[in-house]
Amino acid sequence: MAAAALTREGGEDAFRRLFRFYRQRDAADLRAVVDFSVPGGQVFRSQLSVSSVSDQDACKAGLRPVSQWKAYGLHGYPGFIFIANPFLPGCQRHWVKQCLQLYPQKPNVCNLDLHMTAEKTTDLWGQSKEQLRRKGSSKWEPKSLLEKLRWVTLGYHYNWNTKKYSAKHHTPFPSDLAFLSEQVATACGFCGFQAQAGILNYYHFDSSLGIHVDESELDHSRPLLSFSFGQSSIFLLGGLKREEAPTAMFMHSGDIMVMSGLSRLLYHAVPRVLPNPEGTALPSCLDQAFPSDLPVGSVVEPSSEEDWQVCAKYLQSSRISVTVRQVLAEGQAFPEESGTDARGREGSDDSHHRETSTAKKHKPD
């Protein structure tokens, strides 16, 4: 009832009030959060372009046939599509391992580059895996480098200072993630989508993502894709102004969000990471066996049991979010740059991805 009252109450920065509400409240106050596993009310089934992605291509990306996906929309948010975990059993493990082992590697950029030399951030996985494997439950244990990871940028690297992309700061976009993104975009009606930039956010139970709009891409006609792995979270989707109260919704491991059309430039945030609602250390979808009959040319690969133990230990208190964007329209080029630091190495690793502690008051944005 308190959340509903705040939602009805507009005025100056209604978004911030609800951000604080969900940041601070316990599970008893989460009844107003949209759960897409229970359609009704604001939720409706969304139609996908089933014939545009072959079952084989979906399978190569570790996805079920598009005809089996459960996609939803929200009344009042045209262009917003929520896809409830379309991954084949066991295939989420590939993407988790890539986010922890491969994508943080050079030449990609991460928040640790702002404080450490390139030599010290060359192999975060190798430096962290034994420490993670032995990690106990005490919060006083020293953190591994992987646990200090907050963000990684791919492709066109986002500059946190200028809030721009640059032709001068680009590295090859991971081919497996590009293939996954293209299949999802095509199924949602966006043929020809090009995965050109990615931002990976690494959350822990005390993390949040502040109120913001993703508007730095030069082409806003293409969708923003968001993949979620690990623990659950509350996602807030608002309007074009912060005076508009947002809608709160759950995101669970494997869920995908697509923001397009009028929903592409809406304010959004993640006020809270939540323990797996099933009550187990990890969601059951992450405990499933990897399929043995994937077609030739699949981009997903099985993880060794040793590697997965490291990933599983990390995910017991963490969530990984992968957002993929097309920065430029077909044939479009970046404008001429003048006197800016294209690399963005002096940007803040605290731009809008924050954590709280008993010593520092949380600031949502």
Side-chain angles (χ1 to χ4, degrees):
M1 292 180 64
L6 283 173
T7 301
R8 291 192 298 270
E9 185 181 345
E12 185 177 354
D13 211 344
F15 200 127
R16 180 181 292 199
R17 287 199 299 272
L18 272 164
F19 184 102
R20 289 175 172 168
F21 176 87
Y22 284 114
R23 178 73 191 163
Q24 299 166 357
R25 300 307 174 103
D26 59 28
D29 293 307
L30 303 184
R31 288 167 292 181
V33 181
V34 172
D35 186 346
F36 287 96
S37 65
V38 188
Q42 197 175 356
V43 177
F44 62 90
R45 285 298 293 262
S46 184
Q47 297 300 313
L48 297 173
S49 183
V50 174
S51 61
S52 61
V53 177
S54 69
D55 290 356
Q56 185 174 36
D57 280 345
C59 192
K60 285 180 179 179
L63 299 165
R64 302 176 190 274
V66 177
S67 59
Q68 298 178 15
W69 295 9
K70 295 180 179 179
Y72 305 96
L74 282 175
H75 290 296
Y77 295 96
F80 175 79
I81 303 172
F82 184 99
I83 305 170
N85 185 14
F87 290 94
L88 287 167
C91 287
Q92 286 188 56
R93 291 187 175 193
H94 169 85
W95 302 108
V96 171
K97 190 181 78 168
Q98 296 296 80
C99 289
L100 293 176
Q101 185 177 37
L102 182 66
Y103 299 156
Q105 292 182 9
K106 300 293 171 282
N108 298 328
V109 182
C110 71
N111 64 291
L112 299 179
D113 296 327
L114 309 177
H115 314 292
M116 303 172 66
T117 63
E119 292 75 19
K120 291 185 178 179
T121 60
T122 297
D123 184 14
L124 302 182
W125 174 267
Q127 297 183 68
S128 304
K129 59 182 183 180
E130 288 304 322
Q131 186 177 349
L132 269 172
R133 190 178 288 116
R134 297 192 307 266
K135 190 174 180 64
S137 57
S138 172
K139 59 182 176 181
W140 305 115
E141 291 184 62
K143 291 184 178 180
S144 64
L145 287 180
L146 274 179
E147 292 172 292
K148 295 179 181 179
L149 198 60
R150 294 293 170 264
W151 54 260
V152 168
T153 54
L154 311 171
Y156 288 113
H157 296 281
Y158 187 68
N159 185 313
W160 302 97
N161 279 342
T162 64
K163 302 188 185 303
K164 293 180 180 179
Y165 298 95
S166 167
K168 297 179 181 178
H169 195 198
H170 174 268
T171 56
F173 194 93
S175 58
D176 58 347
L177 183 57
F179 185 78
L180 169 68
S181 303
E182 288 157 11
Q183 307 318 304
V184 172
T186 300
C188 293
F190 296 96
C191 294
F193 175 84
Q194 299 177 50
Q196 297 175 335
I199 299 179
L200 283 57
N201 279 306
Y202 300 82
Y203 301 85
H204 306 297
F205 283 136
D206 53 357
S207 302
S208 64
L209 181 68
I211 306 164
H212 69 285
V213 176
D214 291 298
E215 58 185 355
S216 299
E217 297 73 31
L218 275 65
D219 179 20
H220 293 155
S221 68
R222 312 302 278 172
L224 174 75
L225 310 181
S226 178
F227 304 88
S228 184
F229 303 106
Q231 300 297 325
S232 300
S233 70
I234 295 175
F235 181 81
L236 298 179
L237 182 61
L240 293 171
K241 300 179 180 179
R242 290 169 60 133
E243 289 81 1
E244 299 178 51
T247 295
M249 61 196 80
F250 289 115
M251 280 200 77
H252 303 302
S253 192
D255 291 344
I256 302 173
M257 288 193 310
V258 179
M259 296 172 67
S260 66
L262 292 177
S263 293
R264 176 64 177 77
L265 296 174
L266 299 181
Y267 279 100
H268 53 278
V270 177
R272 184 129 166 235
V273 176
L274 299 168
N276 166 35
E278 297 170 327
T280 52
L282 289 181
S284 57
C285 60
L286 292 172
D287 284 332
Q288 297 168 324
F290 192 83
S292 59
D293 56 349
L294 290 178
V296 176
S298 297
V299 301
V300 292
E301 300 175 345
S303 301
S304 69
E305 190 58 36
E306 181 182 8
D307 284 348
W308 179 245
Q309 287 176 6
V310 178
C311 295
K313 183 59 73 77
Y314 177 89
L315 289 183
Q316 285 180 9
S317 60
S318 304
R319 169 183 177 254
I320 301 171
S321 170
V322 180
T323 59
V324 179
R325 311 105 189 280
Q326 179 170 333
V327 177
L328 301 168
E330 189 74 33
Q332 188 178 22
F334 288 101
E336 289 292 325
E337 298 181 51
S338 58
T340 58
D341 173 17
R343 291 191 62 81
R345 283 183 58 86
E346 296 180 1
S348 169
D349 64 340
D350 200 32
S351 297
H352 56 228
H353 185 209
R354 302 178 182 272
E355 291 184 282
T356 56
S357 69
T358 55
K360 185 173 70 174
K361 184 178 179 182
H362 173 74
K363 295 180 181 179
D365 54 337

